[in-house]
């Protein structure tokens, strides 16, 4: 339908610019591509078939355009597998760049560990129905263990075999919710996606409770960048971070001051 409607409109109106959004590749990769294992063999043909159909339909559409035209193909992102996850919040906490207050509980560490546990369940259980069942039980178990400990009696009804398959650990560290800006020198951009993240410095005079003095800004920024570049995977010794830049090395313009002070990009495995 996308191509039928596009062709009809392009034939009926005198156009200078035509924009066609193709969502099919998005759905194909998100539904069939595993972020931890790559594309399962049984799905490779499905994805390839979708690309073939789109290529054929685009060819038909372009053949009906009689005049010369410029073609731009854009994508919001690609797809690949990444067997490991680098939790930048945990790194900032461990290296004492970021601190939490003791006033409120946080879900940060819980979310990270929940994701790790669910990934372990997914790796152990290739069957989608089994994974759906176990992940549902896990969510309920996780809730009773961390959010509503007074419901802990519920857990006795979960067979030990299922607990083992879920690789759940009873130990759980609860940290605070809010960042303690009176101690924090650097914190992550709240909207960081994929393998690129932004780090803000808690600059005095720019942010409430900022503690990094302007005269120490560059030194602190270079220190953090150097720390990122030195970071190695403890299992194989390879660099975790591909590069880290000062914001002005990547961006420019009137809103540069609002952009994160450091831009970090991890290697493809993270």
């Amino acid at each position: 339908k996308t191509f039928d409607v596009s062709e009809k409109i392009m034939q009926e109106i005198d156009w200078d610019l035509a924009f066609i959004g193709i969502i099919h590749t998005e759905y194909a990769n998100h539904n069939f591509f595993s972020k931890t294992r790559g594309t399962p063999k049984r799905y490779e043909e499905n994805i390839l078939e979708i690309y073939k159909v789109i290529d054929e339909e685009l060819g038909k559409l372009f053949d009906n355009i009689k005049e010369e035209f410029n073609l731009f193909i854009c994508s919001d992102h690609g797809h690949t597998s990444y067997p490991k996850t680098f939790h930048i919040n945990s790194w900032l906490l461990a290296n004492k760049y970021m601190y939490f207050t003791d006033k409120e509980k946080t879900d940060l560490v819980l979310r990270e560990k929940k994701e790790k546990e669910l990934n372990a369940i997914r790796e152990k259980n290739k069957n989608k129905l089994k994974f759906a069942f176990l992940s549902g039980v896990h969510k309920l178990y996780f809730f009773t263990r961390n959010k509503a400990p007074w419901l802990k009696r519920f857990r006795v009804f979960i067979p030990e075999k299922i607990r083992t398959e879920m690789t759940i650990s009873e130990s759980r560290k609860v940290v605070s919710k809010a960042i303690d800006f009176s101690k924090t020198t650097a914190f992550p951009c709240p909207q960081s996606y994929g393998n690129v993240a932004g780090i803000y410095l808690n600059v005095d005079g720019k942010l409430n409770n900022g503690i990094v003095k302007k005269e120490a800004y560059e030194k602190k920024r270079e220190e953090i960048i150097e720390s990122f570049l030195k970071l190695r995977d403890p299992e194989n010794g390879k660099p975790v971070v591909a590069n880290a830049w000062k914001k002005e090395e990547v961006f420019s313009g009137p809103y540069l001051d609002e952009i994160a002070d450091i831009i970090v990009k991890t290697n493809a495995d993270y």
Side-chain angles (χ1 to χ4, degrees), residues 152-169:
K152 64 181 180 179
R153 291 183 180 178
F154 159 82
R155 302 202 297 266
V156 302
F157 296 104
I158 301 178
E160 184 63 31
K161 182 178 180 181
I162 293 181
R163 294 194 205 182
T164 303
E165 289 208 39
M166 291 192 296
T167 61
I168 290 177
S169 169

Side-chain angles (χ1 to χ4, degrees), residues 127-172:
N127 183 285
K128 285 189 174 183
L129 288 176
K130 187 176 181 181
F131 170 70
F133 168 73
L134 288 175
S135 62
V137 174
H138 175 270
K139 289 175 183 177
L140 184 57
Y141 191 94
F142 195 94
F143 175 79
T144 63
R145 186 182 56 198
N146 300 291
K147 301 287 187 174
W150 46 274
L151 287 174
K152 64 181 180 179
R153 291 183 180 178
F154 159 82
R155 302 202 297 266
V156 302
F157 296 104
I158 301 178
E160 184 63 31
K161 182 178 180 181
I162 293 181
R163 294 194 205 182
T164 303
E165 289 208 39
M166 291 192 296
T167 61
I168 290 177
S169 169
E170 281 295 335
S171 62
R172 182 65 51 178

Side-chain angles (χ1 to χ4, degrees), residues 238-261:
K238 294 182 179 180
V240 174
V241 173
N243 211 338
W245 301 271
K246 298 178 180 180
K247 61 182 178 182
E248 63 271 19
E249 295 175 330
V250 181
F251 301 104
S252 62
Y255 299 102
L256 182 63
D257 192 52
E258 299 179 20
I259 295 173
D261 300 283

Side-chain angles (χ1 to χ4, degrees), residues 32-45:
F32 295 125
F33 197 99
S34 168
K35 66 180 183 180
T36 56
R37 299 187 302 273
T39 307
K41 289 291 183 181
R42 64 183 182 278
Y43 294 144
E44 285 182 356
E45 292 185 5

